[in-house]
Amino acid sequence: MKILKNSILLVLLGFMTWMLFNLYKDYDSRDTLNDTARYYAEKGPDETGAANLVTSVVVTYRGLDTLGEVTILFLVSAIIGLLLKTENGTRKTAMRASSEFMITAAKLLIPMISLIGVYIFVNGHLTPGGGFQGGAILASTFILLLISISRNKIGHKVLELTEALSGLSFVLIGILGVILAAGFLDNKILGTGTFGSLLSAGAIPIIYSLIGLKVGAELSTIILELNQVQGKED
Amino acid sequence: MKYLGLEYITVIAGFLLLIVGLWGIISQKNIIKMIISFSIIDTSIHLLLVAIGFIRNRTAPIIDSSVDKLKAADQITDPLPQALVLTAIVIGIGITGLMLTYALKLYRQNKSLEINQYKSLKW
Amino acid sequence: MIQTILIILISVGMLLMAFVAIYHKNLQVAVIASGIISLFASVVYLFLAAPDVAITEASIGSVLTVAIFFYVLNKIRHEDPEK
């Protein structure tokens, strides 16, 4: 019985391998950009003013995708909070008390790592990086905060407020683009400025900072929900 | 010599990782192992997408001192697959967290992580 | 040429780590192996001229995913009825 099952699995895997091998046989590397990418490369720096073309694609040309993605992350954090709801209402953490070294190192490191995260998402239109990366670094700061300093004092209130306000501002800036410029999430509601300076590219730095705050708050909410255990333990 | 380019090697590595991840999903009995295999498949798909967007002897799609702004279309790689992969990675962590939460919920019901112990869907 | 050799070594390392992640008995070792796959993948993205994706994969794929796995494993160990 077990041999039969394993042989069926092997046949299935062999079929999959054959299919992927055919895909690889037809694959040929490219040496020119296609039309869409050529449009982004030629018109993108003048239309959006952002030096990082990935940022201009993510925030302006395909900004609606980003809005949907942030919504998916919000739904994930809400569903995790719903599924892990404790029965008797009390929440406590599963961690032991942290040592003196941990607390001192965390007090030294948390401001620096937060500063790096903020730098990454403010400079998202000039250098590699942006809202998602900066938000992830803010969330890893939150992990460090959670395992070192305050084990029971961190509330949902701050995270919920940050997440709600940044999401609301994101949508409001998008609607302002409809009123003042060409369409939803258009970045020309502010002037594009000098190419390559910090205050350039219209609304892209503002939108990417809001995305960074929202992603950081959502990932932190997921980690906070997973950190708490049911109250009847211990 | 053509097949020693970076993109060909990365495409082969992506396909092999995809097959290993599929084998992990259909052969392992532990739910956590299944979720780990899913994250391996996730990484392999991202590798494939980025490798397909790569063009040899070109630089990253950022207009700085090494790229001429007027001739940018002949000097940079494709920015579109990179933007899509950027989105896909962030969604991947959300999906992984959701699956882990369901695994935790199942563990609280049945006190077991082995898939053989779940008989309620057998008939 | 040195890039080609490095990419081949990293790909072999990723495949080895994938087998470790699937077949190792200890779940924590398996989770760390899947994190190492993401870390190697971020080096590959850097060679493929995608620094944005490299930063994202290094900060999300190899740090936050492993952290979430460990939080869930900690909860499961905490609620184990046999202890």
Side-chain angles (χ1 to χ4, degrees), chain A residues 76-88:
Chain A
V76 165
S77 67
I79 291 172
I80 288 178
L82 178 72
L83 283 179
L84 294 183
K85 197 176 56 163
T86 53
E87 279 81 12
N88 48 7

Side-chain angles (χ1 to χ4, degrees), chain A residues 52 129 133 136 226-228, chain C residues 52 55-56 60 64 71 75 78:
Chain A
N52 190 345
Q133 295 92 331
L226 287 174
N227 187 35
Q228 288 159 339
Chain C
D52 290 273
I55 295 178
T56 316
I60 291 183
L64 279 179
Y71 272 115
K75 281 177 86 97
H78 204 75

Side-chain angles (χ1 to χ4, degrees), chain A residues 4-14, chain B residues 23 26-27:
Chain A
L4 179 70
K5 211 173 73 177
N6 275 343
S7 56
I8 290 175
L9 291 186
L10 274 179
V11 167
L12 198 68
L13 209 69
Chain B
W23 173 249
I26 58 181
S27 71

Side-chain angles (χ1 to χ4, degrees), chain B residues 45-97:
Chain B
I45 301 281
H46 301 158
L47 276 174
L48 283 175
L49 277 176
V50 173
I52 286 171
F54 178 69
I55 302 174
R56 219 175 287 183
N57 295 327
R58 293 200 183 187
T59 182
I62 297 171
I63 313 281
D64 55 2
S65 55
S66 66
V67 177
D68 191 0
K69 191 178 164 186
L70 296 176
K71 285 186 280 187
D74 298 325
Q75 290 180 346
I76 60 169
T77 56
D78 199 342
L80 195 55
Q82 301 189 12
L84 291 182
V85 171
L86 204 67
T87 313
I89 289 174
V90 183
I91 291 182
I93 187 181
I95 301 296
T96 310

Side-chain angles (χ1 to χ4, degrees), chain A:
Chain A
M1 191 60 203
K2 197 168 165 60
I3 294 172
L4 179 70
K5 211 173 73 177
N6 275 343
S7 56
I8 290 175
L9 291 186
L10 274 179
V11 167
L12 198 68
L13 209 69
F15 177 67
M16 200 74 202
T17 313
W18 176 72
M19 240 161 54
L20 290 179
F21 178 73
N22 279 343
L23 273 181
Y24 175 72
K25 215 169 54 179
D26 295 339
Y27 168 69
D28 203 4
S29 69
R30 303 158 55 184
D31 45 5
T32 51
L33 294 177
N34 57 15
D35 288 345
T36 318
R38 185 169 287 275
Y39 179 85
Y40 291 151
E42 283 170 353
K43 304 278 175 58
D46 293 329
E47 277 188 359
T48 64
N52 190 345
L53 289 177
V54 178
T55 299
S56 69
V57 172
V58 166
V59 178
T60 302
Y61 290 118
R62 308 209 164 210
L64 209 57
D65 285 3
T66 308
L67 185 59
E69 182 208 349
V70 174
T71 314
I72 287 177
L73 266 187
F74 168 69
L75 278 178
V76 165
S77 67
I79 291 172
I80 288 178
L82 178 72
L83 283 179
L84 294 183
K85 197 176 56 163
T86 53
E87 279 81 12
N88 48 7
T90 57
R91 294 163 174 270
K92 58 171 77 167
T93 58
M95 298 281 174
R96 281 170 297 183
S98 48
S99 66
E100 187 68 32
F101 296 114
M102 191 79 198
I103 295 173
T104 312
K107 276 179 184 164
L108 182 67
L109 283 177
I110 283 173
M112 294 189 202
I113 303 177
S114 310
L115 198 64
I116 290 175
V118 172
Y119 173 82
I120 282 180
F121 67 67
V122 167
N123 279 288
H125 58 299
L126 302 175
T127 53
F132 303 119
Q133 295 92 331
I137 290 174
L138 286 187
S140 51
T141 314
F142 187 78
I143 295 179
L144 188 57
L145 188 71
L146 207 59
I147 64 177
S148 64
I149 296 175
S150 50
R151 282 166 295 133
N152 286 320
K153 292 173 195 158
I154 301 168
H156 281 245
K157 282 281 186 293
V158 179
L159 292 176
E160 279 174 6
L161 203 65
T162 312
E163 203 255 317
L165 280 182
S166 50
L168 195 65
S169 318
F170 185 20
V171 178
L172 279 181
I173 288 177
I175 294 173
L176 270 183
V178 177
I179 298 170
L180 297 177
F184 189 67
L185 282 173
D186 195 351
N187 69 327
K188 287 204 221 30
I189 55 175
L190 303 170
T192 46
T194 321
F195 184 79
S197 63
L198 180 61
L199 291 176
S200 66
I204 283 181
I206 301 171
I207 294 176
Y208 232 7
S209 306
L210 291 175
I211 291 173
L213 284 176
K214 193 164 162 60
V215 169
E218 278 156 354
L219 293 177
S220 306
T221 311
I222 292 175
I223 288 161
L224 187 62
E225 294 287 347
L226 287 174
N227 187 35
Q228 288 159 339
V229 296
Q230 282 189 340
K232 63 189 173 196
E233 298 289 328
D234 291 337

